[in-house]
Amino acid sequence: TANEEMREKSVGHFIDLYEKCERLGIEGLITHPGSHLGAGMDVGIKQTSRSLDEVLKACKGYSTKILLENTAGQGGCVGHRFEQLAAVAADTIDPDRIGFCFDTQHAFAAGYDLRSAEAYDATFAEWDRHIGAKRINAFHLNDAVKDLGCLVDRHQNIGQGCIGEYPFQRLMNDDRFGDVPMCLETAPGDDNENYVRELKLLRSFKK
């Protein structure tokens, strides 16, 4: 945000979270890059990089990485295009301390298709061109309630939405991401039965 009071409060809150992660030995703190609140994407990118710089300076030597998550593009959210995420990280004082979390539903909502072999390859080629596959430190695995390019952040259970099972089959067998943590962000259901079902489904895709 260009609102300085709000920005400073956000930075202070983030530093507090970051310190907790470092003390607990957590490998990565995942964050959305924020919203420009109507000021425009260029302002949003610059303000996000500036704020991250303040965090990095206040927390020198931390081993916990800050992981920028791609967004769905809802409202004034920064980071729904891969080049925006790349620009935020590149403009910080220490890009090596910045990693990334890839959210499947957010990418789909932002217009990056994953539903066929050609689409999956094209999307990750685009990511690779702007950021690099090796810089993905985590995944959020989510199907989508709404269709491609909707710019709406609405998650669905795996295999029950507009994305379908195919991209998750590919991810489970993509050698580039074999050691990358993958987290469900779907509805757990009663007694977590959806999580149990989804974990079994994802593991069944592994060849």
Side-chain angles (χ1 to χ4, degrees), residues 162-182:
C162 295
I163 297 178
E165 293 184 1
Y166 175 78
F168 303 102
Q169 294 171 358
R170 285 290 303 271
L171 280 171
M172 290 300 102
N173 294 283
D174 195 323
D175 290 339
R176 293 172 295 181
F177 311 126
D179 294 324
V180 179
M182 299 181 178

Side-chain angles (χ1 to χ4, degrees), residues 116-127:
S116 68
E118 295 78 10
Y120 180 98
D121 290 340
T123 290
F124 280 103
E126 183 75 359
W127 178 281

